[in-house]
Amino acid sequence: ETGVTQTPRHLVMGMTNKKSLKCEQHLGHNAMYWYKQSAKKPLELMFVYNFKEQTENNSVPSRFSPECPNSSHLFLHLHTLQPEDSALYLCASSQPGGSSDTQYFGPGTRLTVL
Amino acid sequence: QQQVKQSPQSLIVQKGGISIINCAYENTAFDYFPWYQQFPGKGPALLIAIRPDVSEKKEGRFTISFNKSAKQFSLHIMDSQPGDSATYFCAASAASGGSYIPTFGRGTSLIVHP
């Protein structure tokens, strides 16, 4: 595997379910991100982890719970979601500390909440 | 919230034509301006980027024009090809805690007709 991988690619869940999204990066980066992508809206940054420490939480509802056990893996735990949470959830990684941070994105998980 | 305004929302051009996408920003602290390209079923990928110390950057058929005084920048795709059909996102970022976390525009869906 190369780059940034995400599983599952598609997920359908009910509002009472609990599920987790997984992201793995094979680039040796130290920063990982979760974004939400909805139609006709800008990419919304949800969480940032830098060297496994959470450095950003953009007022994300508590029904989204991130976990970063190491610099290569990032999870997004989901519970009691709402239909408006249906979106494409993108994971990205970057190598901070340089003169620019190129974000390397995974293919995303298409989430549908019924 | 800091904003990056992108237009048009959608664009249709004929093969061989020029595609132009415009973005405007507000925060003068932004000092890195990347463009990302996203194909269906894929995550965004860095296409080209510019810093405000230059007014233009060209890579192959893709050119960024930057107007610092107007706080505007644009992507020009010369000799547009059907394979360029994708969604394009402009972004702007500034260093924060050692990282450059981008603020994205809403995206432009480009269709190039053969």
Side-chain angles (χ1 to χ4, degrees):
Chain A
E1 292 279 11
T2 59
V4 180
T5 58
Q6 291 186 243
T7 55
R9 294 293 309 275
H10 300 271
L11 178 61
V12 179
M13 58 187 290
M15 289 192 287
T16 58
N17 292 158
K18 290 183 179 181
K19 297 287 185 183
S20 296
L21 310 184
K22 178 183 176 182
C23 175
E24 183 173 1
Q25 60 96 0
H26 309 267
L27 300 168
H29 292 161
N30 288 310
M32 296 188 76
Y33 311 77
W34 280 117
Y35 287 89
K36 176 182 178 182
Q37 185 175 33
S38 305
K40 312 299 183 185
K41 296 177 71 175
L43 282 164
E44 299 175 54
L45 179 66
M46 300 175 71
F47 302 103
V48 180
Y49 278 82
N50 221 330
F51 292 89
K52 301 189 299 180
E53 299 297 320
Q54 187 179 124
T55 56
E56 295 268 345
N57 177 341
N58 277 1
S59 304
V60 180
S62 60
R63 56 186 184 270
F64 294 91
S65 174
E67 178 189 0
C68 188
N70 55 61
S71 293
S72 298
H73 294 86
L74 186 64
F75 295 89
L76 188 61
H77 304 297
L78 317 171
H79 64 96
T80 325
L81 294 191
Q82 305 298 311
E84 59 264 29
D85 297 322
S86 298
L88 181 68
Y89 287 85
L90 290 162
C91 173
S93 72
S94 73
Q95 186 56 28
S99 58
S100 65
D101 279 354
T102 298
Q103 305 259 309
Y104 291 83
F105 287 87
T109 294
R110 174 67 63 186
L111 173 66
T112 302
V113 181
L114 302 177
Chain B
Q1 185 176 352
Q2 298 168 346
Q3 284 189 323
V4 175
K5 297 181 179 179
Q6 182 173 346
S7 62
Q9 185 174 310
S10 61
L11 181 61
I12 300 174
V13 301
Q14 293 296 125
K15 179 182 176 182
I18 302 173
S19 303
I20 302 174
I21 304 171
N22 300 298
C23 285
Y25 62 97
E26 300 171 357
N27 185 356
T28 54
F30 287 143
D31 64 355
Y32 180 63
F33 301 89
W35 284 87
Y36 284 81
Q37 179 187 54
Q38 184 178 24
F39 292 106
K42 304 279 189 180
L46 180 68
L47 180 64
I48 186 173
I50 197 170
R51 292 201 175 276
D53 53 344
V54 297
S55 60
E56 186 176 283
K57 182 174 182 179
K58 183 176 181 179
E59 290 184 2
R61 295 184 294 108
F62 300 90
T63 300
I64 300 179
S65 297
F66 187 83
N67 186 329
K68 186 174 181 178
S69 61
K71 293 188 284 186
Q72 296 175 344
F73 58 110
S74 60
L75 176 69
H76 295 237
I77 306 175
M78 310 300 289
D79 187 27
S80 299
Q81 299 297 311
D84 297 330
S85 297
T87 301
Y88 293 81
F89 295 92
C90 64
S93 61
S96 174
S99 298
Y100 280 78
I101 299 176
T103 299
F104 286 90
R106 290 178 178 266
T108 296
S109 175
L110 171 65
I111 297 174
V112 181
H113 284 311

